[in-house]
Coordinates of all heavy atoms in Angstrom, one line a residue:
I207 N 4.6 -5.4 5.0 CA 5.1 -6.8 4.8 C 4.0 -7.4 4.0 O 2.9 -7.7 4.6 CB 5.3 -7.5 6.1 CG1 6.3 -6.8 7.0 CG2 5.8 -8.9 5.8 CD1 6.4 -7.2 8.4
A208 N 4.2 -7.7 2.7 CA 3.1 -8.3 1.9 C 2.8 -9.7 2.4 O 3.7 -10.5 2.7 CB 3.5 -8.3 0.5
G212 N 2.3 -14.5 -0.9 CA 3.2 -15.1 0.0 C 3.6 -14.1 1.0 O 3.0 -13.0 1.1
C213 N 4.7 -14.3 1.7 CA 5.3 -13.3 2.6 C 6.4 -12.7 1.8 O 7.4 -13.3 1.5 CB 5.8 -14.0 3.9 SG 6.7 -12.8 5.0
V214 N 6.3 -11.4 1.6 CA 7.3 -10.6 0.9 C 7.7 -9.4 1.7 O 6.9 -8.5 1.8 CB 6.9 -10.2 -0.5 CG1 8.0 -9.5 -1.2 CG2 6.4 -11.4 -1.3
P215 N 8.9 -9.4 2.3 CA 9.3 -8.2 3.1 C 9.7 -7.0 2.3 O 10.0 -7.2 1.1 CB 10.5 -8.8 3.9 CG 11.0 -9.8 3.1 CD 9.9 -10.4 2.3
P216 N 9.7 -5.9 2.9 CA 10.2 -4.7 2.2 C 11.7 -4.7 2.0 O 12.4 -5.2 2.9 CB 9.8 -3.5 3.1 CG 9.8 -4.1 4.4 CD 9.3 -5.5 4.3
R245 N 1.5 -8.9 14.9 CA 2.0 -10.2 14.6 C 3.5 -10.2 14.6 O 4.2 -11.1 15.2 CB 1.4 -10.8 13.3 CG 2.1 -12.1 12.9 CD 1.3 -13.0 12.1 NE 0.3 -13.7 12.8 CZ 0.4 -14.8 13.4 NH1 1.6 -15.4 13.5 NH2 -0.6 -15.4 14.0
V246 N 4.1 -9.3 13.9 CA 5.6 -9.3 13.8 C 6.3 -8.6 14.9 O 7.5 -8.7 15.1 CB 6.0 -8.7 12.4 CG1 5.5 -9.5 11.2 CG2 5.6 -7.2 12.3
L254 N 8.9 -2.5 13.9 CA 9.9 -3.4 13.4 C 10.9 -2.7 12.5 O 12.1 -2.9 12.6 CB 9.3 -4.6 12.6 CG 10.2 -5.7 12.2 CD1 10.8 -6.4 13.5 CD2 9.5 -6.7 11.3
Y255 N 10.4 -1.8 11.6 CA 11.3 -1.1 10.6 C 11.6 0.3 11.0 O 12.4 1.0 10.3 CB 10.6 -1.2 9.2 CG 10.5 -2.6 8.7 CD1 9.3 -3.2 8.7 CD2 11.7 -3.3 8.3 CE1 9.2 -4.6 8.2 CE2 11.6 -4.6 7.9 CZ 10.3 -5.2 7.8 OH 10.3 -6.5 7.4
Y323 N 6.8 -13.0 21.2 CA 7.4 -12.8 19.9 C 8.7 -13.5 19.7 O 9.0 -14.0 18.6 CB 7.5 -11.3 19.6 CG 6.2 -10.6 19.5 CD1 5.6 -10.0 20.6 CD2 5.4 -10.6 18.3 CE1 4.4 -9.4 20.6 CE2 4.2 -10.0 18.3 CZ 3.6 -9.4 19.4 OH 2.4 -8.8 19.3
E324 N 9.5 -13.6 20.8 CA 10.8 -14.4 20.7 C 10.5 -15.9 20.5 O 11.2 -16.5 19.7 CB 11.6 -14.1 22.0 CG 12.0 -12.7 22.2 CD 12.8 -12.5 23.5 OE1 13.1 -13.5 24.1 OE2 12.9 -11.3 23.9
D325 N 9.5 -16.4 21.2 CA 9.1 -17.8 21.0 C 8.6 -18.0 19.6 O 9.0 -19.0 19.0 CB 8.0 -18.1 22.0 CG 8.4 -18.1 23.4 OD1 9.7 -18.2 23.7 OD2 7.6 -18.1 24.3
L326 N 7.8 -17.2 19.1 CA 7.3 -17.3 17.7 C 8.4 -17.3 16.7 O 8.5 -18.0 15.7 CB 6.2 -16.3 17.4 CG 4.8 -16.5 17.9 CD1 4.0 -15.3 17.9 CD2 4.2 -17.6 17.1
E327 N 9.4 -16.3 16.9 CA 10.5 -16.2 16.0 C 11.3 -17.5 16.0 O 11.7 -18.0 14.9 CB 11.4 -15.1 16.5 CG 12.8 -14.9 15.8 CD 12.6 -14.3 14.4 OE1 11.7 -13.5 14.2 OE2 13.6 -14.5 13.6
H328 N 11.6 -18.1 17.1 CA 12.3 -19.3 17.3 C 11.6 -20.5 16.5 O 12.3 -21.2 15.8 CB 12.6 -19.6 18.7 CG 13.2 -21.0 18.9 ND1 14.6 -21.2 18.7 CD2 12.7 -22.2 19.3 CE1 14.9 -22.4 19.0 NE2 13.8 -23.1 19.4
K329 N 10.3 -20.6 16.8 CA 9.6 -21.7 16.2 C 9.5 -21.6 14.7 O 9.7 -22.6 14.0 CB 8.2 -21.7 16.8 CG 8.1 -22.2 18.3 CD 6.7 -22.0 18.8 CE 6.7 -22.4 20.3 NZ 5.4 -22.3 20.9
T330 N 9.3 -20.4 14.2 CA 9.1 -20.2 12.7 C 10.5 -20.4 12.0 O 10.6 -21.0 10.9 CB 8.5 -18.9 12.4 OG1 7.4 -18.6 13.3 CG2 8.0 -18.8 11.0
A331 N 11.6 -19.9 12.6 CA 12.9 -20.1 12.1 C 13.3 -21.5 12.0 O 13.9 -22.0 11.1 CB 13.9 -19.3 12.9
H332 N 12.9 -22.3 13.1 CA 13.1 -23.7 13.1 C 12.4 -24.4 11.9 O 13.0 -25.3 11.2 CB 12.7 -24.3 14.4 CG 12.8 -25.8 14.5 ND1 13.9 -26.4 14.9 CD2 11.9 -26.8 14.3 CE1 13.7 -27.7 14.9 NE2 12.5 -28.0 14.5
L333 N 11.1 -24.1 11.7 CA 10.4 -24.7 10.7 C 11.0 -24.4 9.3 O 11.1 -25.2 8.5 CB 8.9 -24.2 10.7 CG 8.0 -24.8 9.6 CD1 7.8 -26.3 9.8 CD2 6.6 -24.1 9.7
E334 N 11.4 -23.1 9.1 CA 12.0 -22.7 7.8 C 13.2 -23.5 7.6 O 13.5 -24.0 6.5 CB 12.3 -21.2 7.9 CG 12.9 -20.7 6.6 CD 13.4 -19.3 6.7 OE1 13.5 -18.7 7.9 OE2 13.7 -18.6 5.7
E335 N 14.1 -23.6 8.6 CA 15.4 -24.3 8.4 C 15.2 -25.7 8.0 O 15.8 -26.3 7.1 CB 16.2 -24.2 9.7 CG 17.5 -25.0 9.6 CD 18.2 -25.0 11.0 OE1 17.8 -24.4 11.9 OE2 19.2 -25.8 11.0
W336 N 14.3 -26.4 8.7 CA 14.1 -27.9 8.4 C 13.3 -28.1 7.1 O 13.6 -29.1 6.4 CB 13.4 -28.5 9.6 CG 14.4 -28.8 10.7 CD1 14.8 -28.0 11.7 CD2 15.3 -29.9 10.8 NE1 15.8 -28.5 12.5 CE2 16.2 -29.7 11.9 CE3 15.5 -31.1 10.0 CZ2 17.1 -30.6 12.3 CZ3 16.5 -32.0 10.4 CH2 17.3 -31.8 11.5
L337 N 12.4 -27.2 6.7 CA 11.8 -27.4 5.4 C 12.8 -27.2 4.3 O 12.8 -27.9 3.3 CB 10.6 -26.4 5.3 CG 9.3 -26.7 6.1 CD1 8.3 -25.6 5.9 CD2 8.7 -28.0 5.7
T349 N 12.4 -21.4 -2.5 CA 12.9 -20.3 -1.8 C 11.9 -19.9 -0.7 O 10.7 -20.2 -0.8 CB 13.2 -19.1 -2.7 OG1 14.0 -18.1 -2.0 CG2 12.0 -18.4 -3.3
F350 N 12.4 -19.3 0.3 CA 11.6 -18.9 1.5 C 11.7 -17.4 1.7 O 12.8 -16.8 1.5 CB 12.0 -19.6 2.8 CG 11.7 -21.1 2.8 CD1 12.8 -21.9 2.7 CD2 10.4 -21.6 2.9 CE1 12.6 -23.3 2.8 CE2 10.2 -22.9 2.9 CZ 11.3 -23.8 2.8
N351 N 10.6 -16.8 2.2 CA 10.7 -15.5 2.8 C 10.1 -15.6 4.2 O 9.0 -16.2 4.3 CB 9.9 -14.4 2.0 CG 10.6 -13.9 0.8 OD1 11.8 -14.0 0.7 ND2 9.9 -13.4 -0.2
R352 N 10.7 -14.9 5.1 CA 10.1 -15.0 6.5 C 10.3 -13.6 7.2 O 11.4 -13.0 7.1 CB 10.8 -16.1 7.3 CG 10.1 -16.2 8.7 CD 10.8 -17.4 9.5 NE 12.2 -17.1 9.8 CZ 12.6 -16.4 10.8 NH1 11.7 -15.8 11.6 NH2 13.9 -16.2 11.1
V353 N 9.3 -13.2 7.9 CA 9.4 -12.1 8.8 C 8.7 -12.5 10.1 O 7.4 -12.7 10.1 CB 8.7 -10.8 8.3 CG1 8.9 -9.7 9.3 CG2 9.3 -10.4 7.0
G354 N 9.4 -12.7 11.2 CA 8.8 -13.2 12.4 C 8.1 -14.5 12.2 O 8.7 -15.5 11.7
S355 N 6.8 -14.6 12.5 CA 6.0 -15.8 12.4 C 5.2 -15.8 11.1 O 4.2 -16.6 11.0 CB 5.1 -15.9 13.6 OG 4.2 -14.8 13.8
M356 N 5.5 -15.0 10.1 CA 5.0 -15.1 8.8 C 6.0 -15.8 7.9 O 7.2 -15.4 7.9 CB 4.6 -13.7 8.2 CG 3.6 -13.0 9.0 SD 3.3 -11.2 8.4 CE 2.7 -11.5 6.7
L357 N 5.6 -16.8 7.1 CA 6.5 -17.6 6.3 C 5.9 -17.8 4.9 O 4.7 -18.2 4.8 CB 6.8 -18.9 7.0 CG 7.7 -19.9 6.2 CD1 9.1 -19.3 6.1 CD2 7.7 -21.2 6.9
G358 N 6.6 -17.5 3.9 CA 6.2 -17.7 2.5 C 7.0 -18.8 1.9 O 8.3 -18.8 2.0
I359 N 6.4 -19.8 1.3 CA 7.0 -20.9 0.6 C 6.8 -20.7 -0.9 O 5.6 -20.7 -1.3 CB 6.4 -22.3 1.1 CG1 6.6 -22.5 2.6 CG2 7.1 -23.4 0.3 CD1 5.9 -23.7 3.1
F360 N 7.9 -20.7 -1.6 CA 7.8 -20.5 -3.1 C 8.6 -21.6 -3.8 O 9.7 -21.9 -3.4 CB 8.4 -19.1 -3.5 CG 7.8 -18.0 -2.7 CD1 8.4 -17.5 -1.6 CD2 6.6 -17.4 -3.2 CE1 7.8 -16.4 -0.9 CE2 6.0 -16.3 -2.5 CZ 6.6 -15.8 -1.4
E365 N 15.0 -15.2 -5.9 CA 14.4 -14.5 -4.8 C 13.1 -13.9 -5.1 O 12.9 -13.3 -6.2 CB 15.5 -13.4 -4.3 CG 15.1 -12.7 -3.1 CD 16.1 -11.6 -2.7 OE1 17.0 -11.4 -3.5 OE2 15.9 -10.9 -1.7
V366 N 12.2 -13.9 -4.2 CA 10.9 -13.3 -4.4 C 10.8 -12.0 -3.7 O 10.9 -11.9 -2.5 CB 9.7 -14.2 -3.9 CG1 8.4 -13.5 -4.0 CG2 9.7 -15.5 -4.7
S401 N 0.6 -16.3 2.8 CA 1.6 -16.5 3.9 C 1.1 -17.6 4.8 O -0.1 -17.7 5.1 CB 1.9 -15.2 4.6 OG 2.8 -15.4 5.7
L402 N 2.0 -18.3 5.4 CA 1.7 -19.2 6.6 C 1.8 -18.3 7.8 O 2.6 -17.3 7.9 CB 2.7 -20.3 6.7 CG 2.6 -21.6 5.9 CD1 2.8 -21.3 4.4 CD2 3.5 -22.7 6.4
F403 N 0.9 -18.6 8.8 CA 0.9 -17.9 10.1 C 1.0 -18.9 11.2 O 0.2 -19.8 11.3 CB -0.3 -17.1 10.3 CG -0.5 -16.0 9.3 CD1 -1.3 -16.2 8.1 CD2 0.0 -14.7 9.4 CE1 -1.5 -15.2 7.2 CE2 -0.1 -13.7 8.5 CZ -0.9 -14.0 7.4
L404 N 2.1 -18.8 12.0 CA 2.2 -19.7 13.1 C 1.6 -19.1 14.4 O 1.6 -17.9 14.6 CB 3.7 -20.0 13.4 CG 4.3 -21.2 12.6 CD1 4.4 -20.9 11.1 CD2 5.6 -21.6 13.2

Side-chain angles (χ1 to χ4, degrees):
I207 303 165
C213 174
V214 182
R245 171 158 283 276
V246 297
L254 190 65
Y255 295 108
Y323 293 95
E324 295 176 14
D325 292 342
L326 280 165
E327 172 78 22
H328 175 75
K329 290 174 180 178
T330 315
H332 175 85
L333 179 65
E334 178 188 18
E335 178 187 351
W336 280 93
L337 287 179
T349 189
F350 293 109
N351 282 338
R352 184 178 66 82
V353 181
S355 57
M356 297 175 63
L357 177 65
I359 301 173
F360 305 95
E365 182 182 5
V366 175
S401 175
L402 279 68
F403 297 95
L404 272 69

